[in-house]
Amino acid sequence: MVENPVDTDRFDKMRMELRRGALVLGVLAALREEHYGYSLRKYLISSGLDIDEGTLYPLIRRLEDYGLLASEWRQEEGRKKRYYRISADGLRLLQELRNEWDALNTTLKSLLEK
């Protein structure tokens, strides 16, 4: 019996939905250490969380607008770079989101193993 292959368009859309919340969690966790945009992207990718610039930069601007990140401009190597770090509110939210993530993973693991 030949199985029908997964519709790649549908898979890509569902994959993006699945990753959306995980990206927020990953960016907040990564920004416990200070990064500028490009170094943050490299760090996330090297950690196994692939994210393109078109997703990352709007996300960090949105997180900063929510007060979850702090940033400052610095002159380095002849150019200005904007450095980001998680704020105190961001740290509190990160802990709550981590608790939620852990509970959700436990539930999903149970459902997937049935």
Side-chain angles (χ1 to χ4, degrees):
M1 181 170 149
V2 176
E3 290 185 34
N4 291 333
V6 173
D7 177 332
T8 54
D9 287 339
R10 187 176 347 166
F11 172 77
D12 288 342
K13 288 176 186 173
M14 294 294 107
R15 181 176 168 261
M16 287 307 296
E17 282 190 39
L18 183 63
R19 289 173 43 93
R20 192 159 302 162
L23 292 175
V24 169
L25 191 58
V27 167
L28 288 173
L31 286 173
R32 290 177 291 185
E33 295 179 18
E34 189 175 69
H35 287 277
Y36 60 95
Y38 180 71
S39 71
L40 174 61
R41 183 168 181 253
K42 283 182 12 182
Y43 176 76
L44 291 169
I45 290 170
S46 71
S47 299
L49 190 58
D50 192 17
I51 185 168
D52 63 52
E53 291 175 7
T55 301
L56 178 61
Y57 291 105
L59 175 58
I60 57 179
R61 282 192 296 274
R62 193 167 56 250
L63 293 174
E64 187 176 25
D65 288 346
Y66 294 158
L68 304 174
L69 302 180
S71 70
E72 69 174 305
W73 286 98
R74 291 193 204 141
Q75 187 78 23
E76 274 192 12
E77 301 167 2
R79 9 180 290 208
K80 288 178 93 174
K81 294 180 182 176
R82 191 170 192 170
Y83 281 82
Y84 298 89
R85 187 178 228 350
I86 194 167
S87 67
D89 284 346
L91 281 170
R92 285 188 291 276
L93 181 67
L94 176 59
Q95 185 57 53
E96 292 299 317
L97 289 174
R98 182 177 182 167
N99 293 342
E100 185 68 22
W101 179 263
D102 290 342
L104 186 58
N105 273 336
T106 299
T107 300
L108 288 172
K109 185 175 181 185
S110 173
L111 286 170
L112 290 169
E113 290 176 351
K114 288 183 179 185

